Amino acid sequence: GTHTKTSSSKIIINMDASSSEAAACAWIAEATGCAKPTDVTTARWLSDGVVLCALGNALKPGSIPRVSKSKLKYQQMENVSNFLRVVRELGVPEHTVFETIDLADDKDVGPVLRCLAALRRQTGTTPAAPPGTPAAAPTTPVVAKSSSSSSSPGGPPAKTQAVGDPAAAKKIAELSARLRAVEADKAAL
């Protein structure tokens, strides 16, 4: 059949799934010391929740004190549920959090990758470059956690301090000022 392009207000971001999967695996390996074996899929590697619990504990030490290495499905799902609890505690937006069942059937790893990317952004960490690719500058500035845990909806944004690249810090300041101006205009309406 033929495809007709229609105009839409939606913005579609075409991400290369294999590179985001490789980036996620490299980030997890860097954070946990657990490298993905080459003979298993990413979903299979993460499905028992052991590696995810290690990631949760790396990002929030002691947050998952008991990790089951059992082959029993319900205990593996409990590991994944414990990881998802930590993801939520770290402030990852609920709409990006995957369901435990997404890993259980080794089907679509997309929701898991989106959650891991959101977790990486939320924690201010960037993944290592996938093996065999040249290291690139981070696409997002590294931001230090603020002293306040989070901002309340509608309240003032949590204060952050840019670390590292002065150009990134300047860009963050410019965007923050523009956002405040837009919010002020919106409030005036």
Side-chain angles (χ1 to χ4, degrees):
T2 61
H3 296 286
T4 307
K5 283 192 171 192
T6 57
S7 65
S8 170
S9 61
K10 290 183 182 179
I11 296 173
I12 299 171
I13 299 171
N14 185 11
M15 293 181 61
D16 181 344
S18 63
S19 68
S20 65
E21 188 168 336
C25 292
W27 177 62
I28 292 168
E30 181 181 292
T32 65
C34 304
K36 180 179 105 44
T38 56
D39 61 339
V40 297
T41 64
T42 299
R44 181 77 61 213
W45 179 51
L46 301 175
S47 66
D48 66 2
V50 173
V51 172
L52 292 174
C53 287
L55 179 60
N57 282 327
L59 297 173
K60 188 175 179 187
S63 57
I64 308 172
R66 202 180 120 262
V67 179
S68 173
K69 296 199 188 312
S70 171
K71 296 295 177 202
L72 295 174
K73 200 57 132 177
Y74 78 92
Q75 289 188 322
Q76 294 177 351
M77 290 176 78
E78 186 177 328
N79 285 344
V80 175
S81 294
N82 286 333
F83 168 74
L84 294 175
R85 174 184 47 78
V86 172
V87 165
R88 289 179 175 100
E89 288 171 3
L90 288 170
V92 172
E94 189 62 36
H95 71 276
T96 62
V97 178
F98 67 92
E99 301 288 327
T100 305
I101 198 72
D102 289 334
L103 272 178
D105 299 328
D106 195 13
K107 48 179 182 175
D108 180 17
V109 76
V112 178
L113 294 176
R114 283 187 291 278
C115 180
L116 291 169
L119 177 61
R120 186 189 76 236
R121 284 189 303 272
Q122 184 67 28
T123 58
T125 57
T126 54
T133 60
T139 56
T140 56
V142 177
V143 177
K145 283 299 214 185
S146 66
S147 57
S148 62
S149 59
S150 67
S151 62
S152 58
K159 293 191 186 315
T160 56
Q161 179 180 356
V163 179
D165 186 6
K170 183 178 178 187
K171 187 70 173 174
I172 289 170
E174 289 170 1
L175 291 172
S176 295
R178 286 176 47 197
L179 178 61
R180 283 191 298 278
V182 167
E183 287 173 345
D185 288 347
K186 188 174 155 186
L189 293 177

